């Protein structure tokens, strides 16, 4: 499609608008189906690497075809928004606390969505149809960002932006507007080179080959998956309670970006740590309200308890009477899943049941 001066002017204006709305990088891509990514989704699903995840794996044909989300789709305006922050004090884990991945210290998707909504409104002003898709099962965000020239696929499967690293959330506006797209020759080249640091940095070996993640082992997924937490990965969970950043923290381009351009300080309302004892003390209703922003399997509080018990088993202080109390209480919980993970935690902490008679 020939690029008209109007399309170029509109693209320039969208870039300006996006920058003003706090979007760190913007690129344009054609809305043709992502055939290669569809192949990746289908072959990985066939090999079981999706570990039962639905998301984009539920209907790969749909999630790789933007026209399914917006009939007549021609272009994607793809944006990245940084969520990197310097941890607030204390920088080290407080006693009996679990660790939250940086993308969840606050709602990072809302400001990304708001920025993209401004671009959508500008497109609609010219009579085009437009739809915002952020972390939605209808679009493969990393593949869109890659096609729009925002970055390269790291061996940890994250999309890295040249000079800026991978601490970004990604989203798009899909539109029927004809916009200039980034030609393949202008996309950033692979920036990993010979580095392979992320592969051994994964505590469960979930990066089974460069660029290939086995969700059955990925802690970020296991914390979101229903059922029992696989026993073989419980110790590896350490203190993680939501998400996992290990393969990004090990990544040299992320470290270099932080040195060059130190991130802003976290706000007092950011939540890098969660008090696991306080969590286990909440009622089911209060638990689900308190962690409303998190993806909790089937919105069942039992899974928050399960995760907290495994994390507490790993990082809890067995001499703390409150730790003993919540673990003991969970050992007699009516839910068998909670009981089983409490037994594991008690064993790992070397606790005997307070209420059981002395041998
Ligand atoms: C399902 C999902 C997950 C799953 C599976 C992740 C995965 N790697 O597949 C789980 C729950 C584990 C997960 C975890 C995380 N996720 Co997630 N997740 C998604 C979701 C919903 C779909 C991703 C998807 O379709 N994966 C399918 C596979 C096929 O894609 P892929 O892994 O990206 O694979 C590409 C590479 O493998 C590459 N490739 C293929 N062959 C080869 C070979 C080589 C050598 C190389 C280098 C690459 C390569 O091509 C593939 C694409 O075609 C998206 C949102 C969305 N709608 O897109 C967010 C998304 C990918 N997640 C995101 C984030 C932030 C995370 C976490 C960092 C959160 C956390 N701290 O816990 C972790 C990172 C874990 C990791 N190493 O990927 C961001 C990614 C931001 C970025 N800069 O890349 C997204 C885009 C959400 C968003 N809108 O911002 N996530
Ligand atoms: S998010 Fe954690 S568990 Fe998942 S691949 Fe990265 S390091 Fe491994
Ligand atoms: S750690 Fe190295 S190999 Fe892994 S994504 Fe970062 S640069 Fe690429």
């Amino acid at each position: 499609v020939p690029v008209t001066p109007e399309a170029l002017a509109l693209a320039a204006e969208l870039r300006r608008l996006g920058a003003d709305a706090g979007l760190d990088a913007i690129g344009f891509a054609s809305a043709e189906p992502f055939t290669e990514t569809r192949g990746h989704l289908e072959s990985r699903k066939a090999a079981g690497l999706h570990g039962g995840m639905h998301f984009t794996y539920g209907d790969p044909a749909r999630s790789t075809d933007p026209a399914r989300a917006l009939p007549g789709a021609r272009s994607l305006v793809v944006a990245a928004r940084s969520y990197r922050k310097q941890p607030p004090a204390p920088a080290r884990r407080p006693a009996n606390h679990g660790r939250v991945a940086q993308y969840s210290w606050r709602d990072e998707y809302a400001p990304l969505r708001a920025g993209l909504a401004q671009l959508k409104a500008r497109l609609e002003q010219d009579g085009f149809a437009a739809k915002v898709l952020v972390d939605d099962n209808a679009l493969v965000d990393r593949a869109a960002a890659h096609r729009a020239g925002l970055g390269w696929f790291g061996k940890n499967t994250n999309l890295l932006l040249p000079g800026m690293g991978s601490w970004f959330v990604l989203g798009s506006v899909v539109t029927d507007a004809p916009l200039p797209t980034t030609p393949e020759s202008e996309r950033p080249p692979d920036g990993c080179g010979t580095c392979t640091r992320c592969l051994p940095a994964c505590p469960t070996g979930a990066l089974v080959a460069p660029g290939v993640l086995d969700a059955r082992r990925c802690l970020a997924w296991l914390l979101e998956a229903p059922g029992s937490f696989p026993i073989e990965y419980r110790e590896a969970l350490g203190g993680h309670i939501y998400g996992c950043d290990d393969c990004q923290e090990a990544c040299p381009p992320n470290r270099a970006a932080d040195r060059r351009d130190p991130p802003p300080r976290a706000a007092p309302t950011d939540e890098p740590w969660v008090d696991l004892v306080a969590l286990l003390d909440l009622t089911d209703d209060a638990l689900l309200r308190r962690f409303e922003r998190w993806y909790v399997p089937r919105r069942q509080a039992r899974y928050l308890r399960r995760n907290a018990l495994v994390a507490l088993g790993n990082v809890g202080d067995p001499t703390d009477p409150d730790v003993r109390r919540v673990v003991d209480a969970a050992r007699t919980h009516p839910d068998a899943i909670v009981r089983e993970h409490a037994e594991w935690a008690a064993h790992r902490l070397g606790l005997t049941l307070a209420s059981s008679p002395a041998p």
Side-chain angles (χ1 to χ4, degrees):
V1 184
V3 182
T4 62
E6 292 78 21
L8 282 172
L10 181 55
E13 199 185 333
L14 292 169
R15 275 187 196 281
R16 264 196 315 275
L17 273 174
D20 290 348
L23 304 178
D24 294 288
I26 293 185
F28 302 92
S30 94
E32 279 158 46
F34 293 89
T35 327
E36 197 183 355
T37 298
R38 180 175 172 177
H40 290 143
L41 286 165
E42 286 169 348
S43 60
R44 290 178 194 187
K45 192 172 172 177
L49 299 181
H50 69 311
M53 287 187 301
H54 183 73
F55 304 125
T56 47
Y57 282 95
D59 186 349
R62 169 178 172 247
S63 63
T64 54
D65 184 1
R68 296 277 293 273
L70 185 98
R74 290 174 77 170
S75 314
L76 297 169
V77 187
V78 191
R81 190 175 182 282
S82 168
Y83 60 82
R84 184 65 168 151
K85 287 173 282 295
Q86 285 183 50
R92 295 170 73 94
R93 178 196 312 283
N96 307 321
H97 277 56
R99 193 174 163 199
V100 180
Q102 287 225 11
Y103 82 115
S104 287
W105 289 6
R106 66 173 83 160
D107 183 356
E108 299 290 354
Y109 291 122
L112 172 63
R113 243 183 232 113
L116 289 169
Q118 295 199 25
L119 309 189
K120 166 183 145 86
R122 177 63 192 86
L123 287 159
E124 287 171 345
Q125 206 183 313
D126 280 7
F128 296 115
K131 186 170 182 177
V132 173
L133 293 175
V134 170
D135 204 37
D136 191 291
N137 299 340
L139 186 65
V140 279
D141 294 330
R142 283 175 178 153
H146 181 252
R147 186 186 278 173
L150 296 192
W152 81 91
F153 279 116
K155 288 178 183 142
N156 60 13
T157 80
N158 285 292
L159 192 95
L160 284 100
L161 281 67
M164 299 199 273
S166 64
W167 305 103
F168 290 87
V169 281
L170 309 171
S172 298
V173 181
V174 48
T175 175
D176 58 5
L179 291 166
T181 55
T182 309
E184 203 163 338
S185 57
E186 285 173 25
R187 291 181 201 160
D190 164 56
C192 290
T194 55
C195 174
T196 54
R197 291 257 190 112
C198 49
L199 306 181
C202 173
T204 56
L207 297 165
V208 290
V212 182
L213 179 136
D214 184 346
R216 291 170 298 191
R217 301 185 191 197
C218 176
L219 299 172
W221 168 240
L222 294 176
L223 287 164
E224 296 185 354
S228 180
F229 198 103
I231 196 116
E232 62 273 36
Y233 303 127
R234 288 186 193 171
E235 285 191 25
L237 183 68
H240 294 301
I241 181 70
Y242 197 72
C244 167
D245 285 336
D246 293 10
C247 55
Q248 296 190 87
E249 281 173 350
C251 179
N254 274 342
R255 289 160 180 252
D258 280 0
R259 275 195 303 275
R260 248 194 323 274
D261 184 14
R265 276 232 164 268
T269 45
D270 283 325
E271 191 169 43
W273 309 106
V274 166
D275 182 336
L276 300 169
V277 169
L279 184 161
L280 287 162
D281 266 335
L282 291 174
T283 63
D284 283 2
D285 284 350
L287 251 182
L288 290 173
R289 270 200 310 277
R290 166 80 172 74
F291 298 101
E292 202 173 3
R293 209 177 61 236
W294 289 4
Y295 179 93
V296 179
R298 299 173 188 151
R299 296 299 313 159
Q300 290 177 352
R302 58 172 10 176
Y303 293 119
L304 288 166
R305 294 190 196 287
R306 172 198 69 181
N307 297 345
L309 284 162
V310 179
L312 194 62
N314 289 323
V315 300
D317 172 3
T319 64
D320 184 325
D322 280 328
V323 170
R324 304 169 78 100
R325 180 178 55 73
V326 291
V327 172
D328 264 0
R331 285 168 99 180
T332 54
H333 195 276
D335 184 332
I337 288 218
V338 175
R339 283 201 305 278
E340 188 262 310
H341 290 80
E343 282 308 324
W344 184 87
H347 185 258
R348 176 119 169 92
L349 290 167
L351 304 180
T352 48
L353 188 59
S355 54
S356 66

